[in-house]
Every structure is written in C-alpha cells, then in structure tokens.
Amino acid sequence: MPINIIYREAEPSDAGKFLEYCKRVGAESNNLTFGAEGIPFTISQEADFIRKFAGNPDSVMLVAFDEGELVGTGAVSVVSGKPRFSHRRDIAISVRKDYWGKGIGSGLMNLLLDFCKKSGAESVELEVRSDNERAISLYKKFGFEKIGTNERYFKIDEEFFSADYMNLYL
C-alpha cells in the first residue's frame, strides 16, 4: 500500500477526526493513557484544546494524514508554566496500528524535535509503557535515555503496568 503522508499542525477543524482517531488507536493497543473510549471531550472541547496549542509558542500539536485519513499524531507541550521548568518539554506520539513500521513515528519525532530546538527547549521528556519495545526503540534511535520507572503507572483491568521515563537533552 503506497502512502503519501502529509504532516501539518492540527487545526480546530480536525477535532472530530482527532476524537475518532483516539478511539481507534485506544482500541488497538494498551500502550496509551486511554482505551477504546478515547478522550472524553466533545468536538467543541477538542477544537478549543487544539486552539490552545496553536496559541502557545512553546507547544505544538501535529497530525499525519494519508489520503485524508488521520494516521498519526504528535505533540509537544510545556512541562509547567513555572519559570524554573521553562527549558523542559513533554512529547507524545501515536500512530495507527496499520501504519506501524512505515516511518510515521520517525517523521513526527523529527518535526517535534525540530520544534523543540527552535522554541528554545533544552530537555525533552516522555513516558512509555515499559514493555512497548517498538516505541522504546524509536525513542532510543533519537537519543532518548531511560531515567527511571514507575512500576504502577497504568492500571488496566485491575492489573498494573510500569512505564519508563525517558529524557533527551538537546
């Protein structure tokens, strides 16, 4: 299946597609902070959330489309509004399962890290489920290093799963 990925900044008009995308990727694996229920926002609330990203020079929300279908997302956000944390950013990426292994995660990561550098970030951090080898491999490829583990980060169907904290100094 040939793909032609278009990466761009999320727009409020993407809100409906974004919410449907979250339900789909949430149902495809247990690697995200939500499941098949997706994110508990209305389309209007999600559009407002996207506007907040667009209005903040230290944050960005990206979308990856293939032939009009949302197949991946990525975001950079500030860790805290406190001045002593202004050098730090959180990063998050997700890709639809049928698009895993096609370079979309790498494409998003390149764009997100470029944004971080341009926005003056000096440190980028993320959390990843400890047994998500595919994602961990991607993050290591870009220089992220494990700095700790939270043994009870996720609780899914009464079972705990750990998450690794990873960091990259720019």
Side-chain angles (χ1 to χ4, degrees):
M1 143 175 101
I3 60 173
N4 181 30
I5 303 301
I6 304 295
Y7 299 97
R8 65 170 173 77
E9 224 174 301
E11 300 169 354
S13 61
D14 296 323
K17 285 185 179 184
F18 188 84
L19 292 173
E20 288 304 313
Y21 167 86
C22 288
K23 288 178 184 177
R24 179 172 181 161
V25 296
E28 292 177 339
S29 80
N30 282 326
N31 293 329
L32 302 172
T33 58
F34 53 87
E37 74 282 358
I39 298 173
F41 282 1
T42 65
I43 291 175
S44 176
Q45 289 170 322
E46 182 62 26
D48 288 343
F49 186 72
I50 292 170
R51 279 187 200 92
K52 287 179 186 171
F53 266 82
N56 185 333
D58 296 323
S59 298
V60 69
M61 182 183 294
L62 300 178
V63 288
F65 280 92
D66 181 26
E67 301 297 325
E69 284 198 56
L70 183 55
V71 298
T73 65
V76 168
S77 56
V78 293
V79 172
S80 165
K82 297 176 183 172
R84 292 183 179 188
F85 294 123
S86 64
H87 64 290
R88 295 169 53 197
R89 303 289 184 278
D90 278 324
I91 199 166
I93 291 177
S94 69
V95 175
R96 262 181 29 188
K97 194 170 190 174
D98 56 335
Y99 281 82
W100 288 0
K102 299 184 185 309
I104 296 167
S106 291
L108 287 165
M109 184 63 80
N110 274 318
L111 293 168
L112 294 171
L113 290 177
D114 284 347
F115 176 86
C116 287
K117 291 171 187 169
K118 289 176 184 170
S119 72
E122 299 173 49
S123 175
V124 182
E125 52 201 59
L126 58 86
E127 297 86 33
V128 58
R129 194 166 141 163
S130 299
D131 60 354
N132 187 348
E133 295 175 11
R134 179 181 291 275
I136 291 169
S137 175
L138 171 72
Y139 303 143
K140 285 182 176 179
K141 177 174 111 174
F142 282 89
F144 282 83
E145 295 180 351
K146 178 180 170 179
I147 58 171
T149 300
N150 182 337
E151 297 298 331
R152 292 179 169 221
Y153 188 83
F154 293 97
K155 187 175 183 183
I156 303 168
D157 298 327
E158 300 305 313
E159 184 178 356
F160 289 106
F161 296 89
S162 62
D164 292 342
Y165 294 105
M166 298 184 81
N167 193 50
L168 172 68
Y169 294 113
L170 301 176

